């Protein structure tokens, strides 16, 4: 709920997302195995789903960018929709 933030506050999210071409790196595969062995479920969502969910919750997405050019990691910056 965006109303819980101050008017000038930003939400900064770094998310691991499935690469657009569907080809995951070796690091992705190793981490997936580690999570599976430890019984940790993974729920990866695309940038579009994450930004859409933020919009549904009343946030305005200001910027999205790859983290260091890595297609498996993205930064999302959002603010209250009424700000």
């Amino acid at each position: 709920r965006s109303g819980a933030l101050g008017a000038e506050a930003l939400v900064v999210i770094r998310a691991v997302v499935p690469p657009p071409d569907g080809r995951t790196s070796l690091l992705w595969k190793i981490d997936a195995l580690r999570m599976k062995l430890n019984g940790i479920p993974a729920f990866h969502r695309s940038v579009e789903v994450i930004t859409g969910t933020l919009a549904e919750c009343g946030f305005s997405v200001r910027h999205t960018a790859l983290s260091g050019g890595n297609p498996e990691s993205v930064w999302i910056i959002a603010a209250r929709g009424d700000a």
Side-chain angles (χ1 to χ4, degrees):
R1 205 175 82 208
S2 67
L5 289 178
E8 301 299 319
L10 295 176
V11 176
V12 180
I13 300 169
R14 182 183 163 274
V16 176
V17 297
D21 63 4
R23 295 178 8 185
T24 56
S25 68
L26 178 60
L27 185 57
W28 179 289
K29 291 174 178 70
I30 291 170
D31 195 50
L33 178 61
R34 178 191 62 82
M35 291 176 66
K36 186 173 187 175
L37 291 173
N38 287 299
I40 302 169
F43 302 97
H44 297 104
R45 290 163 177 82
S46 68
V47 174
E48 293 78 17
V49 170
I50 296 169
T51 57
T53 301
L54 285 167
E56 288 174 17
C57 293
F59 292 96
S60 172
V61 175
R62 300 253 178 108
H63 186 68
T64 62
L66 294 179
S67 181
N70 179 354
E72 296 175 352
S73 181
V74 66
W75 288 97
I76 302 168
I77 299 174
R80 284 177 31 171
D82 60 356

